[in-house]
Amino acid sequence: MKVYFGGYIRGGRQDAELYRKAIAALKEKHQVLTEHVGDLSLSTVEDKGDQAIYEQDTAWLRECNVVVAECTQVSLGIGYELAYAEAHGKEVHIFYRSKETQLSAMLAGNERFHIHRYTDESEILAQVRNIG
């Protein structure tokens, strides 16, 4: 199965290590198209250009079977990716730390999305391993 992993990039990289570990857990059974999201050296401002990033990311979203997004940090980009995935009939799994944020009603209220609350790293890693 091909997985699109979405995580916070331009707004900050405070969860980059968590993304790296979640992507590694997903890669045990699946192909992750966006493993760069977990790259600890990834800059908050990519040098590829906005249009190139948009075209590549939407191509990956169309190619993937499932979208996995960590949504503890608020991100317009991830919100767009989730709406794009829904419009293209993709299975979507959203993860967030409920002690740190309240998930948007536009996500939490969408019955098509699989919502996963977690409290620590071991919990999210166990949950992503159960996808697919």
Side-chain angles (χ1 to χ4, degrees), residues 54 58 61 75-86:
Y54 169 82
T58 54
L61 283 163
S75 168
L76 291 172
I78 294 173
Y80 184 88
E81 291 166 353
L82 296 172
Y84 195 94
E86 179 184 21

Side-chain angles (χ1 to χ4, degrees), residues 11-122:
R13 299 291 291 152
Q14 57 266 41
D15 281 333
E17 177 65 18
L18 177 68
Y19 301 160
R20 185 189 66 75
K21 291 177 180 179
I23 289 167
L26 287 164
K27 286 177 61 178
E28 292 171 9
K29 295 193 303 188
H30 310 293
Q31 177 186 358
V32 179
L33 301 173
T34 55
E35 58 184 294
H36 67 281
V37 175
D39 183 345
L40 301 179
S41 67
L42 183 65
S43 168
T44 58
V45 180
E46 303 97 319
D47 59 0
K48 291 171 57 175
D50 292 346
Q51 185 174 358
I53 292 168
Y54 169 82
E55 289 173 2
Q56 179 62 78
D57 285 1
T58 54
W60 280 328
L61 283 163
R62 289 187 302 274
E63 180 182 353
C64 76
N65 305 102
V66 64
V67 173
V68 174
E70 205 296 329
C71 293
T72 301
Q73 306 298 324
V74 176
S75 168
L76 291 172
I78 294 173
Y80 184 88
E81 291 166 353
L82 296 172
Y84 195 94
E86 179 184 21
H88 287 82
K90 303 299 178 174
E91 179 179 334
V92 174
H93 291 266
I94 296 171
F95 293 85
Y96 76 105
R97 294 183 299 273
S98 59
K99 290 183 180 180
E100 295 178 37
T101 193
Q102 184 173 0
L103 196 62
S104 167
M106 292 302 291
L107 302 180
N110 187 331
E111 293 182 353
R112 293 199 52 214
F113 291 164
H114 304 277
I115 308 296
H116 308 273
R117 293 170 186 81
Y118 71 97
T119 56
D120 60 30
E121 180 181 293
S122 63

